[in-house]
Protein backbone atom coordinates (compact mmCIF):
# COMPACT_ATOMS: atom_id res chain seq x y z
CA UNK A 1 0.00 0.00 0.00
CA UNK A 2 1.34 3.45 -0.88
CA UNK A 3 1.90 5.66 2.15
CA UNK A 4 1.15 9.34 2.47
CA UNK A 5 3.74 11.83 3.78
CA UNK A 6 2.71 13.73 6.91
CA UNK A 7 4.32 15.88 9.60
CA UNK A 8 4.50 15.74 13.36
CA UNK A 9 3.87 18.99 15.27
CA UNK A 10 4.60 19.61 18.95
CA UNK A 11 3.70 22.70 20.93
CA UNK A 12 5.32 22.70 24.36
CA UNK A 13 3.77 24.87 27.05
CA UNK A 14 4.15 25.33 30.78
CA UNK A 15 1.11 23.20 31.61
CA UNK A 16 0.75 20.96 28.57
CA UNK A 17 2.37 19.65 25.40
CA UNK A 18 0.01 19.34 22.44
CA UNK A 19 1.08 17.05 19.60
CA UNK A 20 -0.48 16.32 16.24
CA UNK A 21 0.12 14.31 13.12
CA UNK A 22 -1.10 15.80 9.85
CA UNK A 23 -0.34 18.34 7.16
CA UNK A 24 -2.70 21.27 7.91
CA UNK A 25 -5.46 22.37 10.32
CA UNK A 26 -7.96 20.60 8.05
CA UNK A 27 -5.89 17.42 7.73
CA UNK A 28 -5.34 16.18 11.27
CA UNK A 29 -4.59 12.45 11.44
CA UNK A 30 -4.10 12.27 15.20
CA UNK A 31 -3.74 14.63 18.17
CA UNK A 32 -2.94 14.30 21.86
CA UNK A 33 -2.51 16.54 24.91
CA UNK A 34 0.18 15.56 27.42
CA UNK A 35 0.52 17.27 30.82
CA UNK A 36 3.86 19.05 31.36
CA UNK A 37 5.63 17.27 34.22
CA UNK A 38 9.38 16.60 34.16
CA UNK A 39 11.30 16.74 30.87
CA UNK A 40 12.15 13.02 30.72
CA UNK A 41 8.57 11.91 31.29
CA UNK A 42 6.93 14.55 29.08
CA UNK A 43 9.34 14.22 26.15
CA UNK A 44 9.11 10.42 26.53
CA UNK A 45 5.34 10.63 26.05
CA UNK A 46 5.74 12.99 23.09
CA UNK A 47 8.09 10.49 21.42
CA UNK A 48 5.73 7.59 22.17
CA UNK A 49 2.88 9.46 20.46
CA UNK A 50 4.97 10.40 17.42
CA UNK A 51 6.30 6.84 17.07
CA UNK A 52 2.92 5.13 17.28
CA UNK A 53 2.37 2.94 14.19
CA UNK A 54 -0.22 4.43 11.84
CA UNK A 55 -0.92 2.40 8.70
CA UNK A 56 -0.80 4.28 5.40
CA UNK A 57 1.17 7.29 6.57
CA UNK A 58 4.86 8.16 6.75
CA UNK A 59 6.24 10.78 9.14
CA UNK A 60 8.77 12.83 7.14
CA UNK A 61 9.58 15.73 9.49
CA UNK A 62 8.70 17.15 12.89
CA UNK A 63 8.30 20.73 14.12
CA UNK A 64 8.62 21.72 17.77
CA UNK A 65 7.55 25.11 19.16
CA UNK A 66 8.15 25.45 22.90
CA UNK A 67 8.25 27.86 25.79
CA UNK A 68 11.65 29.46 26.25
CA UNK A 69 14.21 30.60 26.61
CA UNK A 70 15.61 28.00 24.23
CA UNK A 71 18.87 27.61 22.31
CA UNK A 72 18.24 28.08 18.57
CA UNK A 73 21.88 28.38 17.51
CA UNK A 74 22.84 25.21 15.56
CA UNK A 75 26.55 25.82 16.27
CA UNK A 76 26.01 25.88 20.03
CA UNK A 77 26.66 22.90 22.31
CA UNK A 78 23.28 23.47 23.95
CA UNK A 79 21.35 23.70 20.66
CA UNK A 80 17.95 22.09 21.09
CA UNK A 81 17.90 22.62 24.86
CA UNK A 82 15.84 24.78 27.16
CA UNK A 83 18.12 27.44 28.67
CA UNK A 84 18.07 28.65 32.26
CA UNK A 85 14.43 29.15 33.20
CA UNK A 86 12.33 29.69 36.29
CA UNK A 87 10.95 26.18 35.69
CA UNK A 88 14.02 24.65 37.31
CA UNK A 89 13.43 21.08 36.28
CA UNK A 90 13.43 22.20 32.64
CA UNK A 91 16.62 24.30 32.82
CA UNK A 92 19.08 22.63 30.44
CA UNK A 93 16.56 19.98 29.34
CA UNK A 94 17.35 18.45 25.96
CA UNK A 95 14.27 18.55 23.77
CA UNK A 96 15.39 18.24 20.18
CA UNK A 97 18.08 15.54 20.35
CA UNK A 98 15.96 12.74 21.87
CA UNK A 99 13.11 13.40 19.42
CA UNK A 100 15.43 13.50 16.39
CA UNK A 101 17.32 10.38 17.53
CA UNK A 102 14.24 8.26 18.20
CA UNK A 103 12.25 9.35 15.14
CA UNK A 104 15.12 9.60 12.65
CA UNK A 105 13.61 12.50 10.69
CA UNK A 106 14.54 16.21 10.47
CA UNK A 107 13.22 18.31 13.34
CA UNK A 108 12.65 22.07 13.08
CA UNK A 109 12.28 24.14 16.20
CA UNK A 110 11.49 27.58 17.47
CA UNK A 111 9.84 29.37 20.38
CA UNK A 112 6.09 28.96 20.93
CA UNK A 113 5.46 32.60 19.97
CA UNK A 114 7.62 32.43 16.84
CA UNK A 115 5.67 29.27 16.00
CA UNK A 116 2.43 31.15 16.60
CA UNK A 117 3.35 33.94 14.18
CA UNK A 118 4.17 31.33 11.51
CA UNK A 119 0.78 29.70 12.11
CA UNK A 120 -1.13 32.99 11.94
CA UNK A 121 0.70 34.02 8.76
CA UNK A 122 -0.12 30.69 7.12
CA UNK A 123 -3.67 29.88 8.23
CA UNK A 124 -4.79 32.58 10.65
CA UNK A 125 -5.22 36.32 11.08
CA UNK A 126 -2.25 37.40 8.94
CA UNK A 127 -2.42 35.12 5.91
CA UNK A 128 0.08 36.10 3.26
CA UNK A 129 1.20 39.16 5.22
CA UNK A 130 4.84 39.96 6.05
CA UNK A 131 6.21 41.37 8.34
CA UNK A 132 3.83 40.32 11.12
CA UNK A 133 3.99 40.95 14.85
CA UNK A 134 2.31 38.44 17.19
CA UNK A 135 1.89 39.32 20.85
CA UNK A 136 0.25 37.13 23.46
CA UNK A 137 -0.98 38.66 26.71
CA UNK A 138 -1.76 36.00 29.30
CA UNK A 139 0.12 34.50 32.24
CA UNK A 140 3.13 36.13 30.64
CA UNK A 141 3.62 38.42 27.65
CA UNK A 142 5.52 37.03 24.70
CA UNK A 143 5.97 38.05 21.11
CA UNK A 144 7.04 36.55 17.82
CA UNK A 145 7.85 38.30 14.58
CA UNK A 146 7.86 37.12 11.01
CA UNK A 147 10.21 39.27 8.91
CA UNK A 148 10.98 38.52 5.24
CA UNK A 149 9.58 35.02 5.64
CA UNK A 150 11.63 34.09 8.68
CA UNK A 151 11.32 34.38 12.43
CA UNK A 152 14.06 36.25 14.26
CA UNK A 153 16.89 34.22 15.84
CA UNK A 154 20.03 35.92 17.05
CA UNK A 155 21.80 36.43 20.30
CA UNK A 156 18.81 34.57 21.73
CA UNK A 157 15.34 35.19 20.32
CA UNK A 158 13.02 38.13 20.83
CA UNK A 159 11.74 38.44 24.41
CA UNK A 160 9.22 41.17 23.71
CA UNK A 161 7.46 40.85 27.05
CA UNK A 162 10.45 42.35 28.84
CA UNK A 163 10.72 45.63 26.95
CA UNK A 164 10.50 48.78 29.05
CA UNK A 165 7.31 50.83 29.09
CA UNK A 166 6.96 54.33 30.53
CA UNK A 167 4.93 54.68 33.72
CA UNK A 168 1.52 56.25 33.30
CA UNK A 169 1.56 59.39 35.47
CA UNK A 170 0.11 58.70 38.92
CA UNK A 171 0.53 54.93 38.68
CA UNK A 172 2.74 53.66 41.48
CA UNK A 173 2.20 49.90 40.97
CA UNK A 174 5.73 48.45 41.19
CA UNK A 175 5.21 45.64 38.66
CA UNK A 176 5.81 41.94 39.24
CA UNK A 177 8.65 40.91 36.91
CA UNK A 178 11.35 39.36 39.10
CA UNK A 179 14.02 40.75 36.76
CA UNK A 180 12.66 44.20 35.91
CA UNK A 181 9.64 45.02 38.05
CA UNK A 182 7.79 47.28 35.65
CA UNK A 183 8.59 45.83 32.23
CA UNK A 184 5.66 45.19 29.84
CA UNK A 185 5.05 41.72 31.30
CA UNK A 186 5.61 42.99 34.84
CA UNK A 187 2.96 45.66 34.44
CA UNK A 188 0.41 44.27 31.95
CA UNK A 189 0.36 40.44 32.09
CA UNK A 190 -2.62 38.63 33.60
CA UNK A 191 -0.85 38.05 36.95
CA UNK A 192 0.23 41.72 37.04
CA UNK A 193 -3.34 42.83 36.47
CA UNK A 194 -4.62 40.40 39.11
CA UNK A 195 -1.99 41.58 41.61
CA UNK A 196 -2.89 45.20 40.95
CA UNK A 197 -6.62 44.56 41.42
CA UNK A 198 -6.43 41.91 44.14
CA UNK A 199 -8.63 39.51 42.19
CA UNK A 200 -8.43 37.21 39.17
CA UNK A 201 -8.67 38.87 35.74
CA UNK A 202 -12.08 37.35 34.79
CA UNK A 203 -13.56 38.94 37.95
CA UNK A 204 -12.51 42.48 37.04
CA UNK A 205 -15.66 44.17 35.68
CA UNK A 206 -15.47 45.65 32.16
CA UNK A 207 -16.24 49.15 33.47
CA UNK A 208 -13.30 49.14 35.93
CA UNK A 209 -10.98 52.05 35.03
CA UNK A 210 -8.03 49.65 35.32
CA UNK A 211 -8.78 48.43 31.79
CA UNK A 212 -7.87 51.82 30.33
CA UNK A 213 -4.60 51.66 32.21
CA UNK A 214 -4.04 48.11 30.93
CA UNK A 215 -4.78 49.24 27.36
CA UNK A 216 -2.37 52.16 27.77
CA UNK A 217 0.51 49.92 28.86
CA UNK A 218 -0.14 47.43 26.10
CA UNK A 219 -0.28 50.32 23.61
CA UNK A 220 3.09 51.61 24.82
CA UNK A 221 4.59 48.15 24.30
CA UNK A 222 3.00 47.71 20.88
CA UNK A 223 4.14 51.19 19.85
CA UNK A 224 7.78 50.29 20.51
CA UNK A 225 7.42 47.01 18.63
CA UNK A 226 5.70 48.66 15.64
CA UNK A 227 8.38 51.34 15.45
CA UNK A 228 11.12 48.67 15.61
CA UNK A 229 9.72 45.98 13.32
CA UNK A 230 7.35 47.91 11.04
CA UNK A 231 4.82 45.05 10.86
CA UNK A 232 2.03 45.15 8.28
CA UNK A 233 -0.28 43.52 10.82
CA UNK A 234 -0.36 43.14 14.60
CA UNK A 235 -2.00 39.96 15.93
CA UNK A 236 -2.95 39.88 19.61
CA UNK A 237 -3.74 36.75 21.59
CA UNK A 238 -3.81 35.29 25.09
CA UNK A 239 -6.15 35.03 28.06
CA UNK A 240 -6.20 38.75 28.93
CA UNK A 241 -7.11 39.70 25.34
CA UNK A 242 -10.18 37.44 25.59
CA UNK A 243 -11.91 40.31 27.41
CA UNK A 244 -13.91 41.51 24.40
CA UNK A 245 -13.84 45.18 25.47
CA UNK A 246 -10.04 45.33 25.64
CA UNK A 247 -9.14 45.25 21.93
CA UNK A 248 -10.99 48.50 21.01
CA UNK A 249 -9.35 50.20 24.01
CA UNK A 250 -5.90 49.03 22.90
CA UNK A 251 -6.51 50.33 19.37
CA UNK A 252 -7.59 53.73 20.68
CA UNK A 253 -4.67 53.94 23.12
CA UNK A 254 -2.22 52.95 20.36
CA UNK A 255 -3.41 55.78 18.12
CA UNK A 256 -3.04 58.15 21.08
CA UNK A 257 0.48 57.10 22.06
CA UNK A 258 1.73 57.15 18.46
CA UNK A 259 0.32 60.66 18.33
CA UNK A 260 0.14 60.85 14.55
CA UNK A 261 3.76 59.87 13.94
CA UNK A 262 2.89 57.10 11.47
CA UNK A 263 0.67 58.96 9.03
CA UNK A 264 -0.96 55.96 7.39
CA UNK A 265 -4.53 54.59 7.25
CA UNK A 266 -3.43 51.54 9.32
CA UNK A 267 -3.01 53.82 12.30
CA UNK A 268 -6.22 55.74 11.58
CA UNK A 269 -9.39 54.57 9.75
CA UNK A 270 -8.06 51.07 9.11
CA UNK A 271 -6.79 50.27 12.58
CA UNK A 272 -9.50 47.58 12.93
CA UNK A 273 -7.73 45.66 10.14
CA UNK A 274 -4.26 46.48 11.42
CA UNK A 275 -4.51 45.42 15.07
CA UNK A 276 -6.52 42.20 15.20
CA UNK A 277 -7.14 39.20 17.40
CA UNK A 278 -5.60 35.82 16.68
CA UNK A 279 -7.74 33.55 14.52
CA UNK A 280 -6.04 30.33 15.54
CA UNK A 281 -6.16 31.23 19.24
CA UNK A 282 -4.74 28.36 21.30
CA UNK A 283 -3.84 26.39 18.17
CA UNK A 284 -1.50 29.03 16.73
CA UNK A 285 1.67 27.51 18.18
CA UNK A 286 0.70 23.97 17.22
CA UNK A 287 -0.07 24.90 13.61
CA UNK A 288 3.11 26.95 13.60
CA UNK A 289 4.97 23.78 14.58
CA UNK A 290 3.45 22.21 11.47
CA UNK A 291 5.02 25.00 9.39
CA UNK A 292 8.35 24.34 11.16
CA UNK A 293 8.06 20.66 10.22
CA UNK A 294 7.27 21.52 6.62
CA UNK A 295 10.31 23.82 6.50
CA UNK A 296 12.54 21.14 8.02
CA UNK A 297 11.29 18.50 5.60
CA UNK A 298 13.85 17.39 2.98
CA UNK A 299 11.24 17.95 0.27
CA UNK A 300 10.79 21.64 0.99
CA UNK A 301 13.88 22.46 3.06
ZN1 LIG B 1 10.75 41.69 32.77
Amino acid sequence: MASRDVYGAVEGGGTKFVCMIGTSPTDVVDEVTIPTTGPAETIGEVIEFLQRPRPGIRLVAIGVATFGPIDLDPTSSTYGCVLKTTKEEWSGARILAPIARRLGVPVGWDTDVNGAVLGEARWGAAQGIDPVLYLTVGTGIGGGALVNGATIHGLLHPEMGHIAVPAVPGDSFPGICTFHGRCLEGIASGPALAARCGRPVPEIPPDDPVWDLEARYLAHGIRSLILTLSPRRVVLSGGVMRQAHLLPRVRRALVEVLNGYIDLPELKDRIDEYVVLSKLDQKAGLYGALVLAERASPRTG
Side-chain angles (χ1 to χ4, degrees):
M1 186 174 69
S3 64
R4 185 164 79 87
D5 290 354
V6 295
Y7 305 119
V10 178
E11 192 208 1
T15 58
K16 61 185 196 291
F17 272 59
V18 184
C19 312
M20 71 167 272
I21 304 283
T23 61
S24 78
T26 52
D27 175 30
V28 181
V29 175
D30 202 354
E31 189 175 325
V32 73
T33 299
I34 296 162
T36 304
T37 54
E41 186 182 12
T42 306
I43 300 304
E45 286 183 45
V46 168
I47 290 170
E48 189 278 321
F49 169 79
L50 294 170
Q51 274 186 323
R52 223 172 270 171
R54 295 177 182 91
I57 63 156
R58 191 170 68 116
L59 195 64
V60 292
I62 295 164
V64 180
T66 70
F67 65 86
I70 58 176
D71 192 337
L72 293 165
D73 176 359
T75 66
S76 159
S77 61
T78 52
Y79 175 68
C81 295
V82 177
L83 295 170
K84 195 167 184 298
T85 160
T86 47
K87 295 168 81 66
E88 271 177 33
E89 216 181 339
W90 286 82
S91 287
R94 301 190 85 81
I95 305 237
L96 221 54
I99 295 176
R101 195 172 56 239
R102 295 281 293 279
L103 274 299
V105 296
V107 186
W109 101 306
D110 214 323
T111 62
D112 47 3
V113 280
N114 270 342
V117 77
L118 289 172
E120 292 290 346
R122 179 67 174 274
W123 292 293
Q127 285 176 48
I129 293 173
D130 186 348
V132 179
L133 166 66
Y134 172 93
L135 197 70
T136 178
V137 186
T139 50
I141 295 184
L146 180 74
V147 180
N148 298 334
T151 54
I152 300 171
H153 300 177
L155 183 65
L156 182 63
H157 42 73
E159 284 285 357
M160 300 178 191
H162 296 274
I163 61 172
V165 287
V168 169
D171 179 27
S172 59
F173 182 65
I176 62 161
C177 177
T178 50
F179 292 87
H180 319 110
R182 307 175 55 112
C183 62
L184 182 60
E185 178 173 294
I187 203 101
S189 62
L193 197 51
R196 179 195 283 285
C197 297
R199 53 179 145 175
V201 173
E203 291 175 20
I204 305 170
D207 59 357
D208 191 311
V210 79
W211 289 113
D212 284 325
L213 197 58
E214 173 72 7
R216 191 85 180 175
Y217 281 120
L218 290 175
H220 274 303
I222 295 165
R223 174 181 79 166
S224 292
L225 295 167
I226 289 175
L227 295 172
T228 307
L229 296 164
S230 215
R232 291 184 183 276
R233 186 158 294 170
V234 177
V235 180
L236 301 178
S237 177
V240 174
M241 290 310 304
R242 259 177 233 128
Q243 309 288 320
H245 58 88
L246 185 55
L247 179 64
R249 290 177 205 256
V250 171
R251 287 174 177 147
R252 275 199 300 275
L254 179 61
V255 171
E256 278 171 31
V257 298
L258 273 165
N259 198 25
Y261 187 75
I262 298 179
D263 189 17
L264 290 169
E266 283 79 358
L267 275 308
K268 291 187 232 166
D269 319 343
R270 286 176 50 200
I271 191 145
D272 291 4
E273 299 161 42
Y274 182 62
V275 180
V276 301
L277 286 182
S278 157
K279 259 193 192 156
L280 305 178
D281 200 23
Q282 299 194 41
K283 294 281 192 179
L286 181 66
Y287 296 154
L290 212 48
V291 178
L292 291 171
E294 189 181 271
R295 291 182 170 196
S297 155
R299 289 192 161 189
T300 56

